Amino acid sequence: QVQVVESGGGLVQPGGSLRLSCVVRGRFFRLDDMGWYRQAQGKQRELVAAISRGGSTNYTDSVKGRFTISRDNAENTVYLQMNSLKLEDTALYYCSAEIRVTLWESRNNYWGQGTQVTVSS
């Protein structure tokens, strides 16, 4: 059984930093693109950052220059370093992972349960 588990959220003041981690556990054939999404209260879930297996990245405009996504393929882990946090970054952050469980199955998207990031003075 594949599990996607996030950690690292919390309460931080504006201008502060947090680092989110997400690990994929269980047995599977291949882990491809990974990403971080967020959903603020009353808003739709949005893509924050994504990274391919080869390390190509993309970011939503509002976090460019402040957030950095990275991954460790050997550890099946993706990170999101968040600097210069703003009030509007407050949201529930979700990790997503495109996983092929066996060689004979197509890729499916797996989600974590989310980790809360609250930016407040």
Side-chain angles (χ1 to χ4, degrees):
Q1 184 178 357
V2 175
Q3 287 185 309
V4 178
V5 181
E6 305 103 331
S7 61
L11 174 64
V12 64
Q13 292 186 339
S17 297
L18 280 176
R19 189 192 196 206
L20 305 184
S21 300
C22 168
V23 61
V24 179
R25 295 175 177 158
R27 298 187 67 175
F28 52 89
F29 173 70
R30 183 179 171 91
L31 174 59
D32 287 315
D33 292 357
M34 302 185 77
W36 289 96
Y37 288 72
R38 66 186 178 187
Q39 187 167 18
Q41 200 163 8
K43 295 187 177 182
Q44 289 188 327
R45 189 176 298 190
E46 63 169 351
L47 174 67
V48 176
I51 185 167
S52 69
R53 184 176 178 82
S56 298
T57 60
N58 66 282
Y59 299 89
T60 192
D61 286 346
S62 63
V63 308
K64 286 179 180 177
R66 300 189 297 123
F67 291 10
T68 302
I69 190 170
S70 60
R71 66 188 286 172
D72 183 336
N73 289 334
E75 298 295 329
N76 299 321
T77 299
V78 65
Y79 305 98
L80 185 68
Q81 178 66 42
M82 304 185 294
N83 298 329
S84 303
L85 281 160
K86 302 177 179 180
L87 296 175
E88 53 264 40
D89 293 319
T90 295
L92 189 59
Y93 283 70
Y94 295 91
C95 176
S96 76
E98 291 188 348
I99 299 170
R100 180 177 291 184
V101 176
T102 68
L103 175 62
W104 302 275
E105 295 179 46
S106 59
R107 287 187 307 181
N108 286 297
N109 204 47
Y110 288 76
W111 294 91
Q113 293 299 307
T115 184
Q116 179 67 37
V117 172
T118 301
V119 184
S120 175
S121 55

